[in-house]
Amino acid sequence: MKLYSYFRSSAAYRVRIALNLKNIDHELVTVNLLKSEQQSDEYLAKNPQGLLPALETEQGVLAQSLAILEWLEETHPETPLLTGDAWQKAQIRNLCYAVACDIHPIDNLRVLKYLANDLGVDEEAKTTWYKHWVEVGFQSIEKLLDEANTFCVGNKPTLADVCLVPQVFNALRFKVDMTKYPKIAAVYEQCNKLDAFIDAAPQNQPDAI
Amino acid sequence: MKLYSYFRSSAAYRVRIALNLKNIDHELVTVNLLKSEQQSDEYLAKNPQGLLPALETEQGVLAQSLAILEWLEETHPETPLLTGDAWQKAQIRNLCYAVACDIHPIDNLRVLKYLANDLGVDEEAKTTWYKHWVEVGFQSIEKLLDEANTFCVGNKPTLADVCLVPQVFNALRFKVDMTKYPKIAAVYEQCNKLDAFIDAAPQNQPDAI
């Protein structure tokens, strides 16, 4: 498999973690979002959606990080990341979407670019925007976590951790005060003791600058 | 089951369609987003995330429309909406997320309110913003659809249609020119011949104004 990735892409970071947790051998192909390489003809031929990540498999190219995560789960059930009965799976997915639908899309690079370039929003207001959506989202997620658990759901990493950790990484870049979210901060710390998370971190990617 | 819904909530509309397609008996409880009833203590006690929809089940309350859709699929497999092998499921989910992660969150009411109230964006620029994210998303989705199919994937409705139809409904409200997306428009027309979609439509809800 080939993963098309950019070191700071939060969605690519999710897939990097899952591939590592599942020990799936893969090649990393870097695509520079800042240089808009995801809009190049070469990349669009792979992923017409023009977004990261994409996973090239024997069957073809898969897009959308969450679709990739669910597909990996179905085709590589070893080290399951979506565990338990239907109810627990719903709790795991609830947390995934609380990040992947309610926070990340609004704070994505392309949205921040639109704010600056098309609406003339200055750097300070852009940072306020970024923090606002992270904080609203983290307030919800903090309520959903149980401090008796080591990870988001239970005592092993699940897709919820796979989605949450990249969002916390980004929040820290934007200097969000994580002391307000002790349960999220504890999960983040716990995950980052594991090689699968460490090796997937932006600063440990070949294209890190 | 009780579905907490607002007639114009795109995410609630998705769940309404799925419940209808699966013939699941349920009660509708309306929550007025324009009056911020989703932030009332009463509603927050049900769904601490303070967003619509929520589904009250015998086991408890589920939030996040996509988590609800996946849970319904697992617990009520009759009239399956996530069909085929792992690869086809990935294509269905890809389309779901192309709407639910890449378009809807950025054009959500709370984001439009922030643009107006916190950033002083005027009505015209807000409409341009709305259309921009719909058009970027629809351009991608149009490429992913196959005109040989009656619905998004194959010849029966799937979760992809469940997610796409509410987004098209909203796009039409904002006067997006759908003639640019003939495959999406054809799927929308096809879906809206079915009672499950018609009965779930905003204008047919008890709280429609």
Side-chain angles (χ1 to χ4, degrees), chain B residues 142 172 176-183 185:
Chain B
E142 185 72 10
L172 290 170
V176 169
D177 174 10
M178 290 303 298
T179 61
K180 291 191 275 183
Y181 314 105
K183 288 184 277 184

Side-chain angles (χ1 to χ4, degrees), chain A residues 161-195:
Chain A
D161 306 287
V162 165
C163 290
L164 184 59
V165 164
Q167 189 62 65
V168 177
F169 178 90
N170 278 341
L172 290 169
R173 267 188 72 211
F174 278 81
K175 304 195 193 314
V176 169
D177 175 10
M178 289 304 298
T179 62
K180 290 189 276 183
Y181 316 105
K183 289 184 277 184
I184 297 175
V187 164
Y188 184 70
E189 197 186 334
Q190 199 62 37
C191 289
N192 280 322
K193 291 179 183 168
L194 303 178
D195 286 342

Side-chain angles (χ1 to χ4, degrees), chain B:
Chain B
M1 293 190 205
K2 273 188 197 172
L3 177 67
Y4 294 83
S5 166
Y6 177 61
F7 77 116
R8 268 188 190 146
S9 157
S10 187
Y13 187 177
R14 293 173 199 152
V15 179
R16 295 196 301 259
I17 298 168
L19 288 169
N20 290 349
L21 284 168
K22 286 179 175 291
N23 268 311
I24 298 172
D25 200 33
H26 63 281
E27 185 188 331
L28 202 78
V29 183
T30 61
V31 179
N32 192 325
L33 286 189
L34 280 187
K35 291 185 183 164
S36 296
E37 287 178 0
Q38 81 280 12
Q39 295 296 334
S40 69
D41 291 343
E42 194 190 342
Y43 184 73
L44 287 172
K46 299 279 182 194
N47 177 11
Q49 294 176 65
L51 296 170
L52 284 181
L55 186 70
E56 197 166 346
T57 76
E58 281 179 5
Q59 282 182 277
V61 178
L62 280 180
Q64 292 288 348
S65 64
L66 292 170
I68 295 171
L69 294 175
E70 294 269 1
W71 180 83
L72 286 172
E73 193 60 19
E74 291 196 49
T75 56
H76 294 73
E78 58 277 23
T79 318
L81 300 174
L82 193 53
T83 51
D85 59 9
W87 187 257
Q88 182 168 307
K89 285 182 189 169
Q91 309 313 313
I92 295 171
R93 288 190 174 112
N94 181 8
L95 287 163
C96 290
Y97 302 137
V99 170
C101 299
D102 289 346
I103 304 176
H104 178 64
I106 316 173
D107 279 347
N108 212 342
L109 183 60
R110 61 187 190 145
V111 173
L112 299 179
K113 273 189 180 175
Y114 189 105
L115 286 174
N117 300 343
D118 295 76
L119 295 177
V121 171
D122 65 26
E123 209 51 42
E124 193 186 336
K126 217 174 72 177
T127 302
T128 305
W129 165 283
Y130 188 96
K131 284 183 160 179
H132 173 77
W133 300 112
V134 170
E135 303 239 8
V136 169
F138 278 6
Q139 282 159 23
S140 287
I141 293 171
E142 185 72 10
K143 288 184 216 164
L144 299 173
L145 298 182
D146 180 345
E147 58 198 345
N149 291 332
T150 315
F151 293 96
C152 279
V153 178
N155 296 312
K156 284 186 178 172
T158 67
L159 291 185
D161 305 287
V162 165
C163 290
L164 184 59
V165 164
Q167 189 62 66
V168 177
F169 178 90
N170 279 341
L172 290 170
R173 266 187 73 211
F174 278 80
K175 303 195 194 315
V176 169
D177 174 10
M178 290 303 298
T179 61
K180 291 191 275 183
Y181 314 105
K183 288 184 277 184
I184 298 176
V187 164
Y188 184 71
E189 196 186 336
Q190 199 63 35
C191 288
N192 280 322
K193 290 179 183 167
L194 303 178
D195 285 344
F197 285 84
I198 296 168
D199 294 346
Q203 70 276 15
N204 297 327
Q205 300 310 299
D207 56 336
I209 45 170

